[in-house]
Amino acid sequence: MSEDCIFCKIVAGELPSKQFHQDDLVTAFQDISEQAPLHVLIVPNQHFKDVGEMGDAQAEILGRIAQVAGQLATQEGVASNGWRLVTNVGRDGGQEVFHTHFHLLGGRPLGPLLAR
Ligand code: DGP
């Protein structure tokens, strides 16, 4: 756990969130600033500042994130229409919270990724 990291505190239950999933490796919770009808953040329980900091030793965590994204998309009813899983890295990537997180977005047409 990293001091002053809001996502570490959410994982630990020290800050409130609408939680969709938690297991030994990852936690999924509602994004506070929804960009789509379904907007869930999927994060490793352990602190990494971004996905670029994660390597072979974290392959299981990254695999779990992809698996949980698919399960939640089905559970939340967006699997048939489609969804997006995206992670931002660093300043140019638009990252604001420096604890690796993947945005699971769905429930509306998301448009071309590079159009925003
Ligand atoms: P990014 O730009 O990829 O770093 O996205 C960070 C996201 O985190 C942004 O969509 C808003 C969300 N967020 C920031 N603070 C909180 C919080 O305290 N709780 C929750 N649930 N989401 C947060």
Side-chain angles (χ1 to χ4, degrees), residues 22-26 45 60 64:
Q22 187 166 52
D23 61 38
D24 57 323
L25 295 180
V26 307
N45 294 341
E60 189 181 4
R64 185 72 59 84

Side-chain angles (χ1 to χ4, degrees), residues 6-7 10 29-32 41 88 94-97 101 103:
I6 50 175
F7 288 177
I10 287 173
F29 55 91
Q30 171 102 29
D31 192 296
I32 208 168
L41 299 174
N88 298 322
Q95 187 178 7
E96 292 171 352
V97 178
H101 53 280
H103 299 256

Side-chain angles (χ1 to χ4, degrees), residues 54-77:
M54 302 174 72
D56 283 354
Q58 285 77 46
E60 189 181 4
I61 300 173
L62 292 167
R64 185 72 59 84
I65 287 170
Q67 186 182 28
V68 167
Q71 287 169 354
L72 290 179
T74 299
Q75 178 188 304
E76 299 303 317

